[in-house]
Amino acid sequence: MRNCIIVLVLLFVVTSCKTRNAHRKKDKDNTIKVDSTYVLGDDNPKDVNSPIRNKLPFFEHVLIPPKFEQIKINSKVNVETGSFIPTLDATIYIEKDKKVWMNLTALLFNVARGIATPEGIKGLDKTSKSYIDSDFDYLNNLLNVNFIDYAALEKILIGRTFIKMNDSQFTLTKNAQGYKMASNVNQKFENEEKKREYKTVLQYDNNYDLLSVNLRDVLSSDELEISYSNWEEINGIRLPRNVKIIIKGSKNSQIFLENTKFDFSKMETPYSVPSSYKKIEIK
């Protein structure tokens, strides 16, 4: 009964787009500031796989948010959860800083719809006539993490780095495949319910396209990995054709997303819950 809603919510974190035309922000003293972290260091090393001490050029490419108003993505979705779920057609609409809307169909029938805003997430499953209305704890529980809010979600959706990074806690290296950013101290995230620590590794292509993000809980078997491939530039924006998300823990699941079409025009995003639908309580 909950499969469609689970798929609906998980899909909020596997679509991505990325622009290359970012503008650097400067303080009054002309020091470039990236995500509230000043980056200092020496020139890049000559030896492959040696740590890069001057991370500023890298941070300028991967941390400064892109500029866009909205994007519509049509996708083919395949899910592996241990239960049979047919291939789903997804329409995903992202309106920057405001909402992420999604509609799912199977065999031409509308099966689920949902919307995420800074206030939380909502989703309805037409196959079971049920719905959810929750904060981001529900999404965090599904992904076995505890740090995703709307701001982090939107960064994931647009293919940007959603983990705070600074010069002292991460090591940057360069190899033939691109760049590797690895935490050299555990990344700590704390909310009202729990405190968690993660080992974090991010991989980027030579042109700074995000290839993968891996977060491993140091105190449990929980692990989250999102990978991107077949990047293309469309209307000046870098977009991946293929996305894969792997969730490991007490239960493992995988989602494969094939993005087939991109559109940058505005669209209507209807969402309403029939009075006969039953609310699923989040515990």
Side-chain angles (χ1 to χ4, degrees):
M1 182 178 71
R2 297 174 64 237
N3 280 341
C4 285
I5 286 184
I6 291 175
V7 173
L8 180 75
V9 177
L10 288 179
L11 283 177
F12 281 136
V13 298
V14 296
T15 314
S16 149
C17 66
K18 182 177 183 181
T19 183
R20 195 67 66 223
N21 299 321
H23 297 283
R24 298 185 298 180
K25 296 181 179 179
K26 296 186 178 181
D27 288 345
K28 294 180 179 179
D29 59 358
N30 286 329
T31 302
I32 298 171
K33 192 175 183 181
V34 182
D35 277 5
S36 300
T37 301
Y38 288 96
V39 185
L40 303 174
D42 298 330
D43 292 336
N44 293 355
K46 296 181 180 179
D47 296 333
V48 175
N49 291 321
S50 296
I52 298 175
R53 297 189 62 188
N54 180 16
K55 303 182 183 72
L56 180 55
F58 173 81
F59 281 173
E60 288 179 329
H61 282 92
V62 305
L63 292 185
I64 297 177
K67 293 184 177 181
F68 72 98
E69 293 183 2
Q70 66 275 323
I71 182 170
K72 174 185 174 184
I73 305 174
N74 293 338
S75 304
K76 294 284 186 181
V77 183
N78 286 285
V79 184
E80 296 180 3
T81 64
S83 301
F84 172 74
I85 300 177
T87 297
L88 299 168
D89 293 308
T91 300
I92 305 163
Y93 180 76
I94 306 167
E95 190 170 333
K96 186 172 174 60
D97 298 328
K98 295 181 180 179
K99 62 184 173 182
V100 177
W101 178 90
M102 182 179 301
N103 191 70
L104 294 174
T105 60
L107 302 175
L108 302 179
F109 291 97
N110 181 224
V111 295
R113 181 171 291 176
I115 188 167
T117 67
E119 287 70 41
I121 56 175
K122 299 178 181 181
L124 61 89
D125 181 353
K126 293 188 176 183
T127 63
S128 63
K129 294 186 177 181
S130 59
Y131 72 98
I132 60 171
D133 188 344
S134 174
D135 56 21
F136 282 87
D137 285 347
Y138 184 62
L139 180 57
N140 280 290
N141 289 336
L142 287 176
L143 295 176
N144 290 335
V145 295
N146 71 327
F147 57 85
I148 294 178
D149 55 13
Y150 184 83
L153 171 61
E154 192 166 274
K155 288 181 180 180
I156 295 173
L157 293 171
I158 61 176
R160 306 301 291 187
T161 303
F162 59 93
I163 300 166
K164 292 182 179 180
M165 294 190 296
N166 60 43
D167 192 37
S168 62
Q169 295 186 351
F170 283 82
T171 298
L172 176 66
T173 55
K174 178 74 171 67
N175 53 43
Q177 288 71 43
Y179 298 89
K180 177 182 178 180
M181 196 71 163
S183 60
N184 49 45
V185 298
N186 295 339
Q187 300 301 292
K188 300 178 181 180
F189 299 93
E190 187 173 1
N191 58 23
E192 295 179 356
E193 294 185 359
K194 64 181 66 175
K195 179 179 180 180
R196 305 186 74 168
E197 298 184 18
Y198 301 90
K199 282 287 187 182
T200 307
V201 177
L202 303 97
Q203 302 276 358
Y204 300 83
D205 204 346
N206 283 309
N207 64 353
Y208 305 103
D209 285 339
L210 182 59
L211 300 179
S212 66
V213 180
N214 180 274
L215 295 114
R216 180 173 57 84
D217 191 317
V218 299
L219 299 178
S220 73
S221 61
D222 292 347
E223 186 174 348
L224 173 65
E225 181 165 342
I226 306 173
S227 60
Y228 308 87
S229 61
N230 295 334
W231 285 83
E232 296 182 14
E233 184 164 330
I234 303 173
N235 284 13
I237 298 178
R238 298 288 297 174
L239 297 160
R241 289 289 181 181
N242 300 101
V243 183
K244 181 179 181 180
I245 182 168
I246 300 174
I247 304 166
K248 298 180 180 179
S250 57
K251 294 183 179 180
N252 298 336
S253 59
Q254 298 185 36
I255 296 176
F256 304 90
L257 185 67
E258 180 186 0
N259 295 328
T260 58
K261 183 180 179 181
F262 302 94
D263 189 345
F264 299 88
S265 58
K266 289 187 175 183
M267 65 171 290
E268 296 295 323
T269 55
Y271 179 84
S272 61
V273 179
S275 58
S276 60
Y277 277 38
K278 180 181 179 181
K279 183 178 180 179
I280 297 178
E281 297 297 334
I282 309 302
K283 298 181 180 181

PDB file of all heavy atoms in Angstrom, residues 44-52 58 171-182 201-209 211-212:
ATOM      1  N   ASN A  44      47.583  24.458  -6.724  1.00  0.00           N
ATOM      2  CA  ASN A  44      47.316  23.043  -6.870  1.00  0.00           C
ATOM      3  C   ASN A  44      48.612  22.266  -7.031  1.00  0.00           C
ATOM      4  O   ASN A  44      49.559  22.737  -7.655  1.00  0.00           O
ATOM      5  CB  ASN A  44      46.431  22.799  -8.097  1.00  0.00           C
ATOM      6  CG  ASN A  44      45.047  23.365  -7.910  1.00  0.00           C
ATOM      7  OD1 ASN A  44      44.717  23.864  -6.841  1.00  0.00           O
ATOM      8  ND2 ASN A  44      44.249  23.298  -8.943  1.00  0.00           N
ATOM      9  N   PRO A  45      48.674  21.040  -6.511  1.00  0.00           N
ATOM     10  CA  PRO A  45      49.903  20.260  -6.612  1.00  0.00           C
ATOM     11  C   PRO A  45      50.124  19.751  -8.023  1.00  0.00           C
ATOM     12  O   PRO A  45      49.181  19.597  -8.792  1.00  0.00           O
ATOM     13  CB  PRO A  45      49.646  19.098  -5.645  1.00  0.00           C
ATOM     14  CG  PRO A  45      48.170  18.930  -5.652  1.00  0.00           C
ATOM     15  CD  PRO A  45      47.622  20.333  -5.787  1.00  0.00           C
ATOM     16  N   LYS A  46      51.357  19.472  -8.349  1.00  0.00           N
ATOM     17  CA  LYS A  46      51.679  18.938  -9.663  1.00  0.00           C
ATOM     18  C   LYS A  46      51.472  17.432  -9.721  1.00  0.00           C
ATOM     19  O   LYS A  46      51.213  16.867 -10.778  1.00  0.00           O
ATOM     20  CB  LYS A  46      53.122  19.293 -10.026  1.00  0.00           C
ATOM     21  CG  LYS A  46      53.364  20.785 -10.172  1.00  0.00           C
ATOM     22  CD  LYS A  46      54.798  21.064 -10.544  1.00  0.00           C
ATOM     23  CE  LYS A  46      55.029  22.572 -10.697  1.00  0.00           C
ATOM     24  NZ  LYS A  46      56.445  22.877 -11.053  1.00  0.00           N
ATOM     25  N   ASP A  47      51.594  16.727  -8.589  1.00  0.00           N
ATOM     26  CA  ASP A  47      51.476  15.283  -8.554  1.00  0.00           C
ATOM     27  C   ASP A  47      50.017  14.867  -8.527  1.00  0.00           C
ATOM     28  O   ASP A  47      49.223  15.362  -7.728  1.00  0.00           O
ATOM     29  CB  ASP A  47      52.189  14.713  -7.319  1.00  0.00           C
ATOM     30  CG  ASP A  47      53.687  14.965  -7.353  1.00  0.00           C
ATOM     31  OD1 ASP A  47      54.222  15.078  -8.475  1.00  0.00           O
ATOM     32  OD2 ASP A  47      54.295  15.046  -6.281  1.00  0.00           O
ATOM     33  N   VAL A  48      49.650  13.909  -9.410  1.00  0.00           N
ATOM     34  CA  VAL A  48      48.296  13.390  -9.429  1.00  0.00           C
ATOM     35  C   VAL A  48      48.012  12.679  -8.100  1.00  0.00           C
ATOM     36  O   VAL A  48      48.867  11.980  -7.560  1.00  0.00           O
ATOM     37  CB  VAL A  48      48.114  12.423 -10.616  1.00  0.00           C
ATOM     38  CG1 VAL A  48      46.738  11.775 -10.562  1.00  0.00           C
ATOM     39  CG2 VAL A  48      48.309  13.159 -11.928  1.00  0.00           C
ATOM     40  N   ASN A  49      46.782  12.853  -7.582  1.00  0.00           N
ATOM     41  CA  ASN A  49      46.330  12.274  -6.317  1.00  0.00           C
ATOM     42  C   ASN A  49      46.927  12.949  -5.088  1.00  0.00           C
ATOM     43  O   ASN A  49      46.635  12.534  -3.967  1.00  0.00           O
ATOM     44  CB  ASN A  49      46.603  10.759  -6.261  1.00  0.00           C
ATOM     45  CG  ASN A  49      45.721   9.986  -7.227  1.00  0.00           C
ATOM     46  OD1 ASN A  49      44.557  10.306  -7.391  1.00  0.00           O
ATOM     47  ND2 ASN A  49      46.290   8.979  -7.877  1.00  0.00           N
ATOM     48  N   SER A  50      47.751  13.961  -5.261  1.00  0.00           N
ATOM     49  CA  SER A  50      48.223  14.724  -4.116  1.00  0.00           C
ATOM     50  C   SER A  50      47.139  15.708  -3.696  1.00  0.00           C
ATOM     51  O   SER A  50      46.374  16.194  -4.528  1.00  0.00           O
ATOM     52  CB  SER A  50      49.504  15.480  -4.464  1.00  0.00           C
ATOM     53  OG  SER A  50      50.551  14.585  -4.752  1.00  0.00           O
ATOM     54  N   PRO A  51      47.041  16.015  -2.417  1.00  0.00           N
ATOM     55  CA  PRO A  51      46.008  16.964  -1.967  1.00  0.00           C
ATOM     56  C   PRO A  51      46.162  18.334  -2.613  1.00  0.00           C
ATOM     57  O   PRO A  51      47.278  18.837  -2.782  1.00  0.00           O
ATOM     58  CB  PRO A  51      46.242  17.035  -0.458  1.00  0.00           C
ATOM     59  CG  PRO A  51      46.923  15.758  -0.113  1.00  0.00           C
ATOM     60  CD  PRO A  51      47.795  15.442  -1.297  1.00  0.00           C
ATOM     61  N   ILE A  52      45.046  18.921  -2.999  1.00  0.00           N
ATOM     62  CA  ILE A  52      45.018  20.276  -3.535  1.00  0.00           C
ATOM     63  C   ILE A  52      44.807  21.230  -2.370  1.00  0.00           C
ATOM     64  O   ILE A  52      43.781  21.185  -1.697  1.00  0.00           O
ATOM     65  CB  ILE A  52      43.894  20.434  -4.574  1.00  0.00           C
ATOM     66  CG1 ILE A  52      44.139  19.502  -5.763  1.00  0.00           C
ATOM     67  CG2 ILE A  52      43.793  21.884  -5.047  1.00  0.00           C
ATOM     68  CD1 ILE A  52      43.007  19.509  -6.771  1.00  0.00           C
ATOM     69  N   PHE A  58      37.941  25.219  -7.170  1.00  0.00           N
ATOM     70  CA  PHE A  58      37.001  24.091  -7.145  1.00  0.00           C
ATOM     71  C   PHE A  58      35.690  24.500  -6.472  1.00  0.00           C
ATOM     72  O   PHE A  58      34.599  24.256  -7.000  1.00  0.00           O
ATOM     73  CB  PHE A  58      37.639  22.920  -6.404  1.00  0.00           C
ATOM     74  CG  PHE A  58      36.716  21.763  -6.175  1.00  0.00           C
ATOM     75  CD1 PHE A  58      36.476  20.851  -7.182  1.00  0.00           C
ATOM     76  CD2 PHE A  58      36.079  21.597  -4.941  1.00  0.00           C
ATOM     77  CE1 PHE A  58      35.606  19.773  -6.973  1.00  0.00           C
ATOM     78  CE2 PHE A  58      35.219  20.535  -4.728  1.00  0.00           C
ATOM     79  CZ  PHE A  58      34.985  19.615  -5.743  1.00  0.00           C
ATOM     80  N   THR A 171      39.482  16.873   2.280  1.00  0.00           N
ATOM     81  CA  THR A 171      40.684  16.790   1.460  1.00  0.00           C
ATOM     82  C   THR A 171      40.274  16.666   0.003  1.00  0.00           C
ATOM     83  O   THR A 171      39.462  15.803  -0.359  1.00  0.00           O
ATOM     84  CB  THR A 171      41.536  15.579   1.859  1.00  0.00           C
ATOM     85  OG1 THR A 171      41.966  15.729   3.211  1.00  0.00           O
ATOM     86  CG2 THR A 171      42.765  15.458   0.956  1.00  0.00           C
ATOM     87  N   LEU A 172      40.814  17.520  -0.839  1.00  0.00           N
ATOM     88  CA  LEU A 172      40.518  17.524  -2.268  1.00  0.00           C
ATOM     89  C   LEU A 172      41.716  16.978  -3.026  1.00  0.00           C
ATOM     90  O   LEU A 172      42.845  17.418  -2.828  1.00  0.00           O
ATOM     91  CB  LEU A 172      40.200  18.947  -2.734  1.00  0.00           C
ATOM     92  CG  LEU A 172      39.962  19.138  -4.237  1.00  0.00           C
ATOM     93  CD1 LEU A 172      38.704  18.403  -4.684  1.00  0.00           C
ATOM     94  CD2 LEU A 172      39.858  20.635  -4.575  1.00  0.00           C
ATOM     95  N   THR A 173      41.464  15.985  -3.896  1.00  0.00           N
ATOM     96  CA  THR A 173      42.516  15.436  -4.740  1.00  0.00           C
ATOM     97  C   THR A 173      42.054  15.425  -6.191  1.00  0.00           C
ATOM     98  O   THR A 173      40.854  15.450  -6.471  1.00  0.00           O
ATOM     99  CB  THR A 173      42.902  14.007  -4.319  1.00  0.00           C
ATOM    100  OG1 THR A 173      41.723  13.181  -4.303  1.00  0.00           O
ATOM    101  CG2 THR A 173      43.548  13.998  -2.943  1.00  0.00           C
ATOM    102  N   LYS A 174      43.014  15.369  -7.111  1.00  0.00           N
ATOM    103  CA  LYS A 174      42.738  15.364  -8.550  1.00  0.00           C
ATOM    104  C   LYS A 174      43.363  14.128  -9.162  1.00  0.00           C
ATOM    105  O   LYS A 174      44.495  13.771  -8.846  1.00  0.00           O
ATOM    106  CB  LYS A 174      43.335  16.625  -9.200  1.00  0.00           C
ATOM    107  CG  LYS A 174      43.142  16.709 -10.712  1.00  0.00           C
ATOM    108  CD  LYS A 174      41.702  17.045 -11.044  1.00  0.00           C
ATOM    109  CE  LYS A 174      41.552  17.354 -12.543  1.00  0.00           C
ATOM    110  NZ  LYS A 174      41.784  16.162 -13.392  1.00  0.00           N
ATOM    111  N   ASN A 175      42.599  13.453 -10.034  1.00  0.00           N
ATOM    112  CA  ASN A 175      43.139  12.321 -10.776  1.00  0.00           C
ATOM    113  C   ASN A 175      42.633  12.384 -12.212  1.00  0.00           C
ATOM    114  O   ASN A 175      42.011  13.374 -12.610  1.00  0.00           O
ATOM    115  CB  ASN A 175      42.752  10.998 -10.108  1.00  0.00           C
ATOM    116  CG  ASN A 175      41.249  10.878  -9.883  1.00  0.00           C
ATOM    117  OD1 ASN A 175      40.450  11.223 -10.742  1.00  0.00           O
ATOM    118  ND2 ASN A 175      40.860  10.388  -8.704  1.00  0.00           N
ATOM    119  N   ALA A 176      42.890  11.345 -12.985  1.00  0.00           N
ATOM    120  CA  ALA A 176      42.520  11.362 -14.404  1.00  0.00           C
ATOM    121  C   ALA A 176      41.015  11.443 -14.601  1.00  0.00           C
ATOM    122  O   ALA A 176      40.537  11.988 -15.602  1.00  0.00           O
ATOM    123  CB  ALA A 176      43.078  10.119 -15.094  1.00  0.00           C
ATOM    124  N   GLN A 177      40.239  10.889 -13.654  1.00  0.00           N
ATOM    125  CA  GLN A 177      38.782  10.891 -13.777  1.00  0.00           C
ATOM    126  C   GLN A 177      38.158  12.222 -13.369  1.00  0.00           C
ATOM    127  O   GLN A 177      37.045  12.536 -13.783  1.00  0.00           O
ATOM    128  CB  GLN A 177      38.185   9.770 -12.915  1.00  0.00           C
ATOM    129  CG  GLN A 177      38.421   8.368 -13.455  1.00  0.00           C
ATOM    130  CD  GLN A 177      39.868   7.929 -13.331  1.00  0.00           C
ATOM    131  OE1 GLN A 177      40.495   8.166 -12.296  1.00  0.00           O
ATOM    132  NE2 GLN A 177      40.397   7.309 -14.366  1.00  0.00           N
ATOM    133  N   GLY A 178      38.835  12.998 -12.554  1.00  0.00           N
ATOM    134  CA  GLY A 178      38.277  14.268 -12.100  1.00  0.00           C
ATOM    135  C   GLY A 178      38.736  14.610 -10.700  1.00  0.00           C
ATOM    136  O   GLY A 178      39.921  14.509 -10.382  1.00  0.00           O
ATOM    137  N   TYR A 179      37.775  14.991  -9.843  1.00  0.00           N
ATOM    138  CA  TYR A 179      38.082  15.446  -8.494  1.00  0.00           C
ATOM    139  C   TYR A 179      37.405  14.557  -7.460  1.00  0.00           C
ATOM    140  O   TYR A 179      36.289  14.076  -7.668  1.00  0.00           O
ATOM    141  CB  TYR A 179      37.598  16.882  -8.285  1.00  0.00           C
ATOM    142  CG  TYR A 179      38.257  17.900  -9.187  1.00  0.00           C
ATOM    143  CD1 TYR A 179      37.714  18.192 -10.437  1.00  0.00           C
ATOM    144  CD2 TYR A 179      39.411  18.571  -8.786  1.00  0.00           C
ATOM    145  CE1 TYR A 179      38.310  19.138 -11.269  1.00  0.00           C
ATOM    146  CE2 TYR A 179      40.017  19.502  -9.611  1.00  0.00           C
ATOM    147  CZ  TYR A 179      39.463  19.782 -10.849  1.00  0.00           C
ATOM    148  OH  TYR A 179      40.063  20.700 -11.670  1.00  0.00           O
ATOM    149  N   LYS A 180      38.096  14.376  -6.334  1.00  0.00           N
ATOM    150  CA  LYS A 180      37.537  13.641  -5.206  1.00  0.00           C
ATOM    151  C   LYS A 180      37.617  14.511  -3.969  1.00  0.00           C
ATOM    152  O   LYS A 180      38.671  15.020  -3.619  1.00  0.00           O
ATOM    153  CB  LYS A 180      38.311  12.339  -4.973  1.00  0.00           C
ATOM    154  CG  LYS A 180      37.824  11.542  -3.763  1.00  0.00           C
ATOM    155  CD  LYS A 180      38.668  10.288  -3.584  1.00  0.00           C
ATOM    156  CE  LYS A 180      38.240   9.501  -2.349  1.00  0.00           C
ATOM    157  NZ  LYS A 180      39.072   8.279  -2.172  1.00  0.00           N
ATOM    158  N   MET A 181      36.460  14.689  -3.304  1.00  0.00           N
ATOM    159  CA  MET A 181      36.385  15.468  -2.081  1.00  0.00           C
ATOM    160  C   MET A 181      35.968  14.522  -0.965  1.00  0.00           C
ATOM    161  O   MET A 181      34.859  13.969  -0.982  1.00  0.00           O
ATOM    162  CB  MET A 181      35.352  16.589  -2.239  1.00  0.00           C
ATOM    163  CG  MET A 181      35.454  17.671  -1.198  1.00  0.00           C
ATOM    164  SD  MET A 181      36.926  18.693  -1.415  1.00  0.00           S
ATOM    165  CE  MET A 181      36.480  20.123  -0.419  1.00  0.00           C
ATOM    166  N   ALA A 182      36.865  14.283   0.001  1.00  0.00           N
ATOM    167  CA  ALA A 182      36.603  13.318   1.061  1.00  0.00           C
ATOM    168  C   ALA A 182      36.760  13.983   2.417  1.00  0.00           C
ATOM    169  O   ALA A 182      37.703  14.740   2.645  1.00  0.00           O
ATOM    170  CB  ALA A 182      37.551  12.128   0.940  1.00  0.00           C
ATOM    171  N   VAL A 201      32.140  11.145   0.912  1.00  0.00           N
ATOM    172  CA  VAL A 201      33.005  11.186  -0.265  1.00  0.00           C
ATOM    173  C   VAL A 201      32.174  11.673  -1.447  1.00  0.00           C
ATOM    174  O   VAL A 201      31.083  11.157  -1.714  1.00  0.00           O
ATOM    175  CB  VAL A 201      33.603   9.806  -0.595  1.00  0.00           C
ATOM    176  CG1 VAL A 201      34.448   9.881  -1.869  1.00  0.00           C
ATOM    177  CG2 VAL A 201      34.445   9.292   0.568  1.00  0.00           C
ATOM    178  N   LEU A 202      32.676  12.673  -2.154  1.00  0.00           N
ATOM    179  CA  LEU A 202      32.019  13.198  -3.342  1.00  0.00           C
ATOM    180  C   LEU A 202      32.976  13.100  -4.520  1.00  0.00           C
ATOM    181  O   LEU A 202      34.164  13.416  -4.394  1.00  0.00           O
ATOM    182  CB  LEU A 202      31.587  14.652  -3.147  1.00  0.00           C
ATOM    183  CG  LEU A 202      30.648  14.915  -1.964  1.00  0.00           C
ATOM    184  CD1 LEU A 202      31.454  15.406  -0.758  1.00  0.00           C
ATOM    185  CD2 LEU A 202      29.590  15.967  -2.331  1.00  0.00           C
ATOM    186  N   GLN A 203      32.465  12.676  -5.671  1.00  0.00           N
ATOM    187  CA  GLN A 203      33.256  12.555  -6.884  1.00  0.00           C
ATOM    188  C   GLN A 203      32.705  13.517  -7.945  1.00  0.00           C
ATOM    189  O   GLN A 203      31.489  13.605  -8.122  1.00  0.00           O
ATOM    190  CB  GLN A 203      33.209  11.123  -7.426  1.00  0.00           C
ATOM    191  CG  GLN A 203      33.692  10.057  -6.449  1.00  0.00           C
ATOM    192  CD  GLN A 203      35.198   9.894  -6.458  1.00  0.00           C
ATOM    193  OE1 GLN A 203      35.905  10.549  -7.214  1.00  0.00           O
ATOM    194  NE2 GLN A 203      35.702   9.006  -5.615  1.00  0.00           N
ATOM    195  N   TYR A 204      33.621  14.198  -8.631  1.00  0.00           N
ATOM    196  CA  TYR A 204      33.239  15.144  -9.683  1.00  0.00           C
ATOM    197  C   TYR A 204      34.032  14.838 -10.953  1.00  0.00           C
ATOM    198  O   TYR A 204      35.181  14.382 -10.882  1.00  0.00           O
ATOM    199  CB  TYR A 204      33.524  16.584  -9.258  1.00  0.00           C
ATOM    200  CG  TYR A 204      32.798  17.040  -8.024  1.00  0.00           C
ATOM    201  CD1 TYR A 204      33.280  16.756  -6.747  1.00  0.00           C
ATOM    202  CD2 TYR A 204      31.613  17.776  -8.120  1.00  0.00           C
ATOM    203  CE1 TYR A 204      32.616  17.174  -5.605  1.00  0.00           C
ATOM    204  CE2 TYR A 204      30.950  18.206  -6.990  1.00  0.00           C
ATOM    205  CZ  TYR A 204      31.451  17.901  -5.730  1.00  0.00           C
ATOM    206  OH  TYR A 204      30.789  18.328  -4.602  1.00  0.00           O
ATOM    207  N   ASP A 205      33.442  15.130 -12.094  1.00  0.00           N
ATOM    208  CA  ASP A 205      34.135  14.992 -13.364  1.00  0.00           C
ATOM    209  C   ASP A 205      35.142  16.123 -13.524  1.00  0.00           C
ATOM    210  O   ASP A 205      35.159  17.081 -12.739  1.00  0.00           O
ATOM    211  CB  ASP A 205      33.118  15.020 -14.513  1.00  0.00           C
ATOM    212  CG  ASP A 205      33.636  14.329 -15.760  1.00  0.00           C
ATOM    213  OD1 ASP A 205      34.849  14.068 -15.835  1.00  0.00           O
ATOM    214  OD2 ASP A 205      32.819  14.065 -16.661  1.00  0.00           O
ATOM    215  N   ASN A 206      35.978  16.043 -14.572  1.00  0.00           N
ATOM    216  CA  ASN A 206      36.964  17.098 -14.819  1.00  0.00           C
ATOM    217  C   ASN A 206      36.316  18.451 -15.074  1.00  0.00           C
ATOM    218  O   ASN A 206      36.913  19.494 -14.810  1.00  0.00           O
ATOM    219  CB  ASN A 206      37.856  16.717 -15.999  1.00  0.00           C
ATOM    220  CG  ASN A 206      38.908  15.687 -15.610  1.00  0.00           C
ATOM    221  OD1 ASN A 206      39.631  15.865 -14.637  1.00  0.00           O
ATOM    222  ND2 ASN A 206      38.985  14.604 -16.362  1.00  0.00           N
ATOM    223  N   ASN A 207      35.076  18.440 -15.597  1.00  0.00           N
ATOM    224  CA  ASN A 207      34.370  19.703 -15.851  1.00  0.00           C
ATOM    225  C   ASN A 207      33.432  20.065 -14.695  1.00  0.00           C
ATOM    226  O   ASN A 207      32.545  20.895 -14.850  1.00  0.00           O
ATOM    227  CB  ASN A 207      33.594  19.631 -17.163  1.00  0.00           C
ATOM    228  CG  ASN A 207      32.487  18.590 -17.124  1.00  0.00           C
ATOM    229  OD1 ASN A 207      32.365  17.825 -16.171  1.00  0.00           O
ATOM    230  ND2 ASN A 207      31.674  18.558 -18.159  1.00  0.00           N
ATOM    231  N   TYR A 208      33.612  19.407 -13.534  1.00  0.00           N
ATOM    232  CA  TYR A 208      32.898  19.688 -12.284  1.00  0.00           C
ATOM    233  C   TYR A 208      31.470  19.149 -12.236  1.00  0.00           C
ATOM    234  O   TYR A 208      30.729  19.467 -11.319  1.00  0.00           O
ATOM    235  CB  TYR A 208      32.904  21.193 -11.974  1.00  0.00           C
ATOM    236  CG  TYR A 208      34.281  21.780 -11.929  1.00  0.00           C
ATOM    237  CD1 TYR A 208      34.764  22.535 -12.995  1.00  0.00           C
ATOM    238  CD2 TYR A 208      35.121  21.576 -10.836  1.00  0.00           C
ATOM    239  CE1 TYR A 208      36.048  23.079 -12.981  1.00  0.00           C
ATOM    240  CE2 TYR A 208      36.404  22.117 -10.808  1.00  0.00           C
ATOM    241  CZ  TYR A 208      36.851  22.860 -11.880  1.00  0.00           C
ATOM    242  OH  TYR A 208      38.114  23.388 -11.851  1.00  0.00           O
ATOM    243  N   ASP A 209      31.061  18.323 -13.203  1.00  0.00           N
ATOM    244  CA  ASP A 209      29.778  17.636 -13.077  1.00  0.00           C
ATOM    245  C   ASP A 209      29.844  16.696 -11.873  1.00  0.00           C
ATOM    246  O   ASP A 209      30.827  15.974 -11.688  1.00  0.00           O
ATOM    247  CB  ASP A 209      29.472  16.812 -14.325  1.00  0.00           C
ATOM    248  CG  ASP A 209      29.055  17.669 -15.502  1.00  0.00           C
ATOM    249  OD1 ASP A 209      28.630  18.813 -15.288  1.00  0.00           O
ATOM    250  OD2 ASP A 209      29.155  17.174 -16.642  1.00  0.00           O
ATOM    251  N   LEU A 211      29.383  13.449 -10.001  1.00  0.00           N
ATOM    252  CA  LEU A 211      29.272  12.050 -10.391  1.00  0.00           C
ATOM    253  C   LEU A 211      28.658  11.185  -9.304  1.00  0.00           C
ATOM    254  O   LEU A 211      27.861  10.295  -9.593  1.00  0.00           O
ATOM    255  CB  LEU A 211      30.651  11.496 -10.779  1.00  0.00           C
ATOM    256  CG  LEU A 211      31.351  12.190 -11.948  1.00  0.00           C
ATOM    257  CD1 LEU A 211      32.711  11.551 -12.197  1.00  0.00           C
ATOM    258  CD2 LEU A 211      30.487  12.136 -13.205  1.00  0.00           C
ATOM    259  N   SER A 212      29.026  11.423  -8.056  1.00  0.00           N
ATOM    260  CA  SER A 212      28.449  10.621  -6.975  1.00  0.00           C
ATOM    261  C   SER A 212      28.641  11.298  -5.630  1.00  0.00           C
ATOM    262  O   SER A 212      29.577  12.077  -5.431  1.00  0.00           O
ATOM    263  CB  SER A 212      29.086   9.220  -6.932  1.00  0.00           C
ATOM    264  OG  SER A 212      30.456   9.298  -6.584  1.00  0.00           O
TER     265      SER A 212
END
